[in-house]
Amino acid sequence: MSVISNHMPTAELQALDAAHHMHPFTSNAALAKRGARVITRADGVYLTDSDGHQILDGMAGLWCVNVGYGRHEMAEVAARQMKELPYYNTFFMTTHVPAIALAQEVAKLAPEGMNNIFFAASGSEANDTNIRLVRTYWSVKGKPSKTHIISRKNAYHGSSVGSGSLGGMAYMHAQGGMPIPGIHHINQPDWWSEGGDMSRDDFGLARARELEDKILELGADNVAAFIGEPVQGAGGVIVPPDTYWPEIQRICRKYDILLIADEVICGFGRTGNWFGSQTYGISPDIMTVAKGLSSGYQPIGGSIVTDEIAEVMGSTEFMHGYTYSGHPVASAVALENLRIMQEEKIVEHARDVAGPALKAGLETLADHPLVGEISIKGMMASMPLTPHKESRAKFAAERGTVGTIGRDRSFANNLIMRHVGDRMVVSPPLVITEEEIDVLVSRARKALDETYQIVKDEGLLKPAS
Ligand SMILES: *Cc1c(COP(=O)(O)O)cnc(C)c1O
């Protein structure tokens, strides 16, 4: 057995990685040429790579490390739980203390009347649960024809066949036989890219009413549910117009369609409330959670449901579950994460301190020649890059060309800022301080300045015609 240590030369680690490791959402041949960045440790909001760079993690890992890195309490809880009961399942009439305690705590934090959770090990798994759950729910209620699920283009709900089908990423659907039948995608509420001459509010209403059109087209008796992220994350932090969610809620109620809020990113403080649904004043029937539930320290997710759904589902045997549903170590760590969130008032910090500071900081970038606007809700934000602000023009170059330059310049300036197409995205740990936000913004500005220079030099500052 070889011993892989943090002290091996970076090039050696990269060569081994390239030889044996297939990365998600990556062209592995291209990565092998360039060499993956090797992250060796992390503390607070800073990552350290194998060359010793201190990198500010403006993405909280993948939108998940809400309490920041280096929380030894979490490690201690995990070690204790592993010694006491490293694994047991929750099938076959058994349970264990960590799953009980976490389910109770989630019920306490979730909106009124949502007192049950079905556990999974990830957001993808939880959304797969939701597909079968909503169809089974309607079938038990004597409406087995209600099977169709409506989602949005450019939504992200996971990468398994079911959750990837719920998602609306065309480039994902192009590979491997997705979407599965019975899933439909309406247009997203992305005013900046697709709003044309409409006001934001009119556009929000128009996009919400596409749900009504789709329900009428399919027949309400055939529609089980609508699913949406309160704020689309992986799609580029698309903050919907204020008119959008109330209208979606109204339509779901009118036609007796279940509303699934995918809270995998928005949940547990990201938008400044415990759940994005609260930020938008909606009452979903199901909330998908993962990521922030454990701050990424352990893989865990789940579907939080209303009491009515729990009761209906409880009247039958739901032939569904995962080996790691309610995994004891993951549950114990998630519970510790929720304790830290509450004791340190991290949601309040996100709402009252870090969120406003991030907004103020990013707004100083709004007049940068490349930045179209600052799109922000709580602690998730994006900046669409544009060759022409007034017309909200896209670049003539292939989508993502300029965004990739922006991402690379961020990395070069020791800031993790992601790109989605030509949008730059940030979603830092919720615990980030005002001083650290200043560092984030100044590195982002430098990255944008360098990107602008490159874009100009390479003749890419041309709007698409
Ligand atoms: C990340 C994400 C998922 C998928 O979660 P995994 O844990 O990666 O399976 C689902 N929904 C949303 C909104 C996400 O951001």
Side-chain angles (χ1 to χ4, degrees), residues 343-356:
E343 280 190 19
E344 297 184 8
K345 300 199 183 318
I346 289 174
V347 180
E348 291 83 346
H349 174 76
R351 187 190 61 208
D352 301 333
V353 181

Side-chain angles (χ1 to χ4, degrees), residues 108-325:
K108 196 183 99 192
L109 295 171
E112 189 73 23
M114 300 188 90
N115 291 296
N116 283 269
I117 181 165
F118 190 103
F119 285 118
S122 69
S124 300
E125 286 182 5
N127 277 326
D128 275 23
T129 296
N130 292 339
I131 295 173
R132 299 191 59 218
L133 191 153
V134 297
R135 291 172 173 170
T136 307
Y137 165 89
W138 286 117
S139 166
V140 172
K141 295 226 328 177
K143 296 185 176 171
S145 65
K146 281 174 87 73
T147 58
H148 290 263
I149 300 173
I150 301 170
S151 178
R152 286 106 47 96
K153 292 178 186 161
N154 198 36
Y156 189 78
H157 297 300
S159 188
S160 60
V161 174
S163 62
S165 296
L166 288 177
M169 302 292 183
Y171 58 88
M172 287 176 68
H173 291 171
Q175 295 176 324
M178 298 196 291
I180 56 172
I183 296 181
H184 310 266
H185 300 86
I186 58 175
N187 284 307
Q188 60 176 335
D190 178 356
W191 176 82
W192 200 86
S193 306
E194 300 174 6
D197 295 334
M198 290 176 97
S199 73
R200 273 180 210 260
D201 283 354
D202 288 350
F203 178 73
L205 279 180
R207 284 289 158 103
R209 286 182 185 149
E210 288 193 19
L211 174 60
E212 187 158 31
D213 296 341
K214 184 56 82 177
I215 291 170
L216 293 173
E217 177 194 321
L218 295 166
D221 287 346
N222 300 317
V223 181
F226 171 77
I227 183 168
E229 304 149 82
V231 177
Q232 289 156 258
V237 185
I238 310 300
V239 176
D242 291 339
T243 48
Y244 182 76
W245 276 112
E247 184 66 1
I248 291 282
Q249 173 94 69
R250 183 190 71 77
I251 293 166
C252 286
R253 290 219 172 108
K254 178 172 177 192
Y255 295 100
D256 209 9
I257 308 297
L258 295 175
L259 174 55
I260 308 170
D262 185 338
E263 297 264 7
V264 171
I265 289 175
C266 294
F268 303 101
R270 178 63 54 195
T271 67
N273 290 292
W274 278 97
F275 296 95
S277 296
Q278 295 162 328
T279 298
Y280 284 100
I282 54 170
S283 303
D285 300 286
I286 300 175
M287 297 195 301
T288 320
V289 293
K291 298 191 171 119
L293 172 57
S294 65
S295 285
Y297 278 62
Q298 284 283 291
I300 186 165
S303 305
I304 304 174
V305 304
T306 60
D307 298 349
E308 198 258 342
I309 292 180
E311 194 184 318
V312 171
M313 291 302 292
S315 72
T316 190
E317 187 173 347
F318 188 26
M319 300 295 176
H320 177 78
Y322 305 107
T323 300
Y324 300 133
S325 286

Side-chain angles (χ1 to χ4, degrees), residues 425-445:
V425 172
V426 291
S427 174
L430 303 185
V431 293
I432 192 169
T433 64
E434 289 173 277
E435 294 72 36
E436 289 163 341
I437 288 171
D438 288 344
V439 175
L440 186 158
V441 171
S442 71
R443 290 184 185 178
R445 177 180 290 109

Side-chain angles (χ1 to χ4, degrees), residues 358-377:
L358 185 64
K359 184 164 194 280
L362 291 176
E363 276 172 357
T364 68
L365 303 174
D367 58 6
H368 191 280
L370 274 184
V371 173
E373 69 164 0
I374 307 300
S375 168
I376 180 165
K377 201 64 166 178

